Structure formats: structure tokens, C-alpha cells
Amino acid sequence: MTVSAATLGVALSAPVFGAITERLARKRVIVASLLGISIPTLLAATATSLPQLIFWRFLQGVMVPGVVAVIVTYIGEEWPPHRVALIMSFYVSGTALGGFIGRVGTGILTDWFNWRIAFVALGAASLAGAAAVAFWLPHGRLRPILPMAADDNPSFVNQVRSLFHNRRLLATFAVGFNLLFSLVGVFTWITFHLSAAPFSLSTTALSSLFFVYLVGLVVTPAAGYLITRVGLRAGIAGAIACSMAGVLLTLAPSLAIIILGLALVSSGVFIAQTASQSHLRVAAPPGSRVTAAGLYMTCYYFGGTAAGVLPGAFWSLGKWPACAAFIIAMQAIALVIALFGWREPTPPPQPAA
């Protein structure tokens, strides 16, 4: 419940947060949101009951889109189009590194001290991050802050409706759902497979599987550079194919091959995330990019939530092989959606002279 509360907060607040912050200065929103994350994180250390802890975790999630959705839009606005995928790959690598350090670091602090100290450390890290962003991140240079006008400020409902009528954005939202679904689905359900015979891995050994995230720190920026050369559709196709191959390798009877497969799964998802978030800049209209990024986050985190539930039905039918088949089928659907949904619209024919 403490994990789901945070992801639910992200999913619910992302589109609303995006609409509210659409016309605000990007850097100010990011700094304020980092401060907003640090407050409930520090207060979580004071929780005296499980409901209190769940409440503070929910507020953490509510503030996250102010960083993630806005920085994705910021990158798309501040770098030239041919460099967006490369810069986005560095950002995605940063999220992978943060996720790895967060899991390992808080585990060590909890073992050495207690879980309250872990929350204090995370809150202090958020404060330090806010200070670093305030000092180092340049103010938006390529996006002027336009005055609010009555005739160009559609309501939130109308704005969301128009975004969902955009074929390329709708395809991007569906791909985002499938990306986190694949990552969470694999790393959640394969632990049951590896904890049983013949592998019989301990809890500590299962936790160490997240070290494969570090492979993505090297692979993702290199792939981001390649995506700038081959294009977003080719990039997402290669990334999803890499992840599908990784899932197939996890069916092997060798632990070493399974670990290789997990490395391919996570790296493929990180690379696909780079391509998908870069495509948001291309597909979203200029006045709705933060809202579009917020909706993408909502679909992305709903995918992660579904991955903790839906594969369970397949596990009961055929254990990990059935789960893997289901996840591969979902990845294949995402591949088809990206290849057909991301096609640029055909320009209307020009009248004959």
C-alpha cells in the first residue's frame, strides 16, 4: 500500500498538474515541486501509524509530475529537435541511476539504522536536488512566457479531449503504458520463479537483480545518439525488440542467461522510454506539451500498477512461462502501435497550378 499510494498519486495528479503549470516558468515549477516532494518525505519519517505513512507517500506522488512531466517538456523546448533524443537519454539514465541508488541506499540505511532515517535521507536528497536545480538549471530561453488570454485558454476537459483525439499522442500513451507494464511485470513475477527450485534465490540475491539497471546507464545514452540518426520509429522498434528478446532469455534454465535477459529487458525499456518521451515533443501541440506529458505519466504508471495484478492470472495457469508469454504479447502490441501510430500524417495534396 505504501508503494501503490505514491504511484496512485502520480497517476491522478499528472494531467491536472500539467494543465495548471502549462504557462508557468518551467524552472520555477521544477524547483517548487522538488521542495514539495521533500516536505512529505521528511514528514513520512514522523509517521506513527501505517495510514499516516500511506498519506505522506500519496502526497509524495502528487508532487512528482511537477518534476518529471515538466522536465520532459523543458528538454523538448530547450534543445534543437535533432538533439532531443540524446539529451532525453541522459535524463532517462539519471532516473535509472536514481532508482538504483534509492533502492540500494535506503535498504542499507534501514539495515544500519531504521526506516525513518531512510526517509530523512531521501528528504535531504530532495532538498539538495532543489538547490542544485535552482543554481544550475538555466531558465527557459527558447520558450517565452505568454500572457494568459481568454480566447486561447481551453478548459482542462477540452484540452484533454483534444489530446486524446491526436492519433500520434494516443499511440504514445499506449506505448508508455506498455513500457512500465513490461518492466514491472518482469521484475515482479520473475522473483517468484527464481525463488523456487531449482534456483532458490534468497531475498538478498533477488534484490541484487536490480544491478542490471546499471547496464542501462551506459547503453541508453549511446542508444539516444543512435536514435538521433535512425529516427524515433526505428529507435522504438529496436528497443522493444531488445526487450522482447530479453524476456525470451529469462525462460532459459541458466541463471547467467536469465540475468543477461533481465539486462536486455531493462535496457530496452529505458531506450524505448527515451524514444517515447522524445516523441511527445513531436506529437503534442506547443500549448499543451506539459499536459500531454502529464497524461503520458498517468498511462505509464497505470501500466506499472496493472503489471502487479494482471500477470497473476497467467502465473496461476502456467507459472513464469505463461507470464512471459503474456508480457511478450503486450510488447508486440506496443511495437505495432508505435510503428503505425507514430507515422507522420500525410500532407494534403497540393492543388495543381
Side-chain angles (χ1 to χ4, degrees):
M1 292 179 68
T2 58
V3 174
S4 298
T7 57
L8 179 63
V10 175
L12 294 179
S13 70
V16 179
F17 211 114
I20 293 174
T21 62
E22 191 69 68
R23 290 178 171 269
L24 301 178
R26 309 298 195 210
K27 178 179 176 178
R28 292 180 181 177
V29 173
I30 295 170
V31 173
S33 298
L34 284 169
L35 291 173
I37 292 172
S38 67
I39 294 172
T41 303
L42 292 171
L43 290 174
T46 69
T48 58
S49 65
L50 182 60
Q52 286 184 17
L53 182 59
I54 293 172
F55 174 73
W56 295 125
R57 290 282 290 154
F58 176 77
L59 289 187
Q60 279 182 302
V62 167
M63 297 305 298
V64 166
V67 179
V68 180
V70 177
I71 197 66
V72 168
T73 306
Y74 176 91
I75 292 172
E77 293 171 344
E78 294 302 311
W79 274 270
H82 68 279
R83 290 181 59 84
V84 167
L86 177 62
I87 304 303
M88 198 72 74
S89 69
F90 286 114
Y91 164 71
V92 173
S93 293
T95 65
L97 178 61
F100 170 76
I101 293 176
R103 287 181 173 89
V104 175
T106 55
I108 293 173
L109 288 173
T110 301
D111 284 340
W112 287 359
F113 303 100
N114 56 59
W115 64 269
R116 297 182 190 275
I117 296 298
F119 274 107
V120 171
L122 289 173
S126 295
L127 288 174
V133 170
F135 281 106
W136 293 338
L137 189 69
H139 287 284
R141 295 161 294 179
L142 303 181
R143 170 188 172 265
I145 305 300
L146 301 175
M148 189 74 72
D151 57 350
D152 64 354
N153 181 33
S155 68
F156 173 70
V157 174
N158 290 334
Q159 189 178 55
V160 170
R161 184 183 295 115
S162 67
L163 292 177
F164 272 105
H165 278 86
N166 184 318
R167 170 182 57 84
R168 300 173 74 187
L169 275 181
L170 195 61
T172 307
F173 297 157
V175 169
F177 178 94
N178 274 278
L179 290 181
L180 195 57
F181 181 92
S182 300
L183 189 66
V184 173
V186 168
F187 278 85
T188 296
W189 293 95
I190 200 171
T191 58
F192 296 98
H193 175 59
L194 295 178
S195 63
F199 302 104
S200 303
L201 296 186
S202 65
T203 302
T204 301
L206 292 173
S207 299
S208 66
L209 294 175
F210 286 100
F211 274 93
V212 300
Y213 275 29
L214 298 179
V215 177
L217 297 180
V218 179
V219 173
T220 304
Y225 176 78
L226 182 62
I227 289 174
T228 63
R229 301 305 178 108
V230 302
L232 295 176
R233 290 177 68 220
I236 191 85
I240 295 177
C242 172
S243 187
M244 293 173 69
V247 178
L248 285 173
L249 289 179
T250 63
L251 298 174
S254 167
L255 182 59
I257 295 178
I258 291 175
I259 293 174
L260 174 61
L262 293 176
L264 290 177
V265 169
S266 59
S267 297
V269 169
F270 295 152
I271 297 168
Q273 179 79 328
T274 296
S276 197
Q277 291 182 338
S278 300
H279 189 259
L280 282 174
R281 177 197 177 278
V282 179
S288 303
R289 283 174 177 161
V290 181
T291 306
L295 291 171
Y296 175 85
M297 286 188 63
T298 296
C299 296
Y300 184 76
Y301 279 95
F302 276 147
T305 303
V309 179
L310 296 182
F314 292 85
W315 177 269
S316 63
L317 293 175
K319 304 298 182 181
W320 173 244
C323 285
F326 175 53
I327 293 171
I328 289 174
M330 292 291 288
Q331 291 175 318
I333 292 172
L335 177 58
V336 172
I337 290 174
L339 289 177
F340 287 93
W342 286 17
R343 289 183 300 182
E344 296 185 9
T346 304
Q350 298 295 326

